[in-house]
């Protein structure tokens, strides 16, 4: 299996009156094939300085030959790749814990944080939105997770959108559909969130939205 469709990004997020957060993003179109554990470990790299680790997966449905569920957290236990991620982090002796796993169809969003940060998260919510004709498919759309940490709100979106440059307008329209269609409580995403960080297969960009 190849990591050619995987991307890694690290962002330092400045917070008012608090130390900055270091967030590492992994987005990977898995191609519906089970990855080798060593391959995942190499891709994740050094996580010792990371406060929040976000793994977004697309085309991640396969018949697994291995199992890591025995020692997995309750959120990850029923999913192979999130259980694999926790096993990799344990071998690396990285002290990150699963905050949430959001999943629909072939799309996953796995959020892991330092335990001390988890204690300071005062609100969180997950959602998902299908895109395309009628919004009924399971292959295109986005998984969404939002949280509030020390009065700062963040939203992470793992999306699987139409590929190739000729579909740029379609991708932008689908992303707007994800934002407008996802409700966090009674509000839309954009009405509550300070920063939206979007990534994924076919997304082509990361979008930061800072609200006044």
């Amino acid at each position: 299996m190849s990591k050619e469709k995987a991307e890694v990004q690290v962002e330092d997020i400045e917070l008012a009156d608090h130390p900055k957060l270091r967030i590492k993003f992994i987005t990977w179109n898995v191609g519906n094939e089970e990855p080798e554990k060593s391959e995942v470990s190499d891709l994740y790299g050094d996580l010792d300085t990371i406060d929040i680790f976000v793994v977004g997966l697309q085309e991640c449905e396969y018949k697994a030959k291995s199992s890591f569920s025995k020692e997995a957290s309750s959120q990850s236990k029923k999913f192979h790749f999130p259980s694999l991620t926790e096993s990799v982090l344990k071998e690396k002796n990285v002290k990150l814990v699963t905050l949430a796993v959001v999943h629909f169809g072939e799309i996953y969003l796995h959020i892991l944080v330092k335990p001390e940060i988890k204690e300071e998260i005062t609100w969180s919510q997950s959602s998902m939105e299908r895109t395309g004709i009628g919004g009924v498919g399971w292959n295109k759309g986005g998984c969404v997770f939002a949280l509030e940490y020390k009065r700062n709100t963040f939203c992470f979106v793992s999306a699987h959108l139409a590929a190739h440059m000729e579909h740029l307008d379609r991708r932008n329209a689908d992303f707007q559909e994800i934002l407008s269609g996802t409700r966090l409580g009674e509000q839309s995403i954009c009405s509550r969130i300070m920063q939206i960080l979007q990534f994924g297969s076919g997304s082509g960009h990361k979008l930061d939205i800072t609200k006044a």
Side-chain angles (χ1 to χ4, degrees):
M1 182 174 177
S2 172
K3 300 193 294 290
E4 290 180 359
K5 294 186 177 181
E7 296 181 9
V8 182
Q9 185 167 338
V10 177
E11 291 284 327
D12 289 324
I13 307 295
E14 299 290 341
L15 303 179
D17 302 322
H18 295 287
K20 65 184 178 183
L21 280 178
R22 173 157 283 195
I23 306 177
K24 189 168 191 175
F25 305 89
I26 300 286
T27 179
W28 192 359
N29 186 316
V30 181
N32 292 326
E33 295 182 25
E34 181 179 358
E36 296 290 337
K37 188 175 184 179
S38 59
E39 187 178 22
V40 175
S41 180
D42 290 345
L43 177 64
Y44 288 177
D46 184 6
L47 296 167
D48 289 339
T49 65
I50 302 303
D51 300 304
I52 300 177
F53 185 41
V54 184
V55 181
L57 305 167
Q58 306 84 38
E59 296 186 9
C60 189
E61 286 296 305
Y62 49 80
K63 187 175 181 179
K65 299 177 183 178
S66 58
S67 176
F68 305 95
S69 61
K70 186 175 181 180
E71 297 183 353
S73 66
S74 59
Q75 300 99 316
S76 299
K77 190 175 292 291
K78 64 180 180 178
F79 304 117
H80 180 264
F81 205 113
S83 298
L84 169 59
T85 292
E86 291 186 353
S87 181
V88 168
L89 267 56
K90 184 177 180 179
E91 287 188 358
K92 289 176 176 284
N93 197 29
V94 173
K95 306 303 182 184
L96 293 169
V97 297
T98 292
L99 179 62
V101 177
V102 189
H103 161 252
F104 86 88
E106 299 177 352
I107 306 172
Y108 285 79
L109 180 60
H110 190 183
I111 312 292
L112 304 104
V113 300
K114 286 183 175 178
E116 59 268 28
I117 289 178
K118 185 176 182 179
E119 293 178 359
E120 297 285 346
I121 293 174
T122 53
W123 168 83
S124 66
Q125 187 172 330
S126 63
S127 186
M128 61 87 159
E129 180 72 13
R130 302 181 183 92
T131 60
I133 299 175
V136 297
W138 286 97
N139 187 44
K140 293 293 191 289
C143 290
V144 179
F145 186 79
L147 64 86
E148 182 173 341
Y149 171 73
K150 293 185 180 295
R151 293 182 295 178
N152 295 270
T153 50
F154 301 91
C155 183
F156 305 102
V157 182
S158 175
H160 190 198
L161 307 177
H164 309 301
M165 285 303 298
E166 63 266 26
H167 295 138
L168 178 61
D169 290 341
R170 169 69 181 277
R171 288 199 298 274
N172 289 336
D174 284 348
F175 182 58
Q176 289 302 317
E177 182 179 342
I178 291 170
L179 292 186
S180 62
T182 302
R183 310 296 294 181
L184 300 177
E186 297 181 354
Q187 299 174 312
S188 68
I189 273 183
C190 290
S191 66
R192 178 163 186 171
I193 303 301
M194 294 172 62
Q195 295 194 63
I196 298 176
L197 300 108
Q198 181 257 353
F199 52 97
S201 178
S203 62
H205 62 282
K206 175 182 73 64
L207 174 64
D208 289 338
I209 299 178
T210 304
K211 299 178 69 66

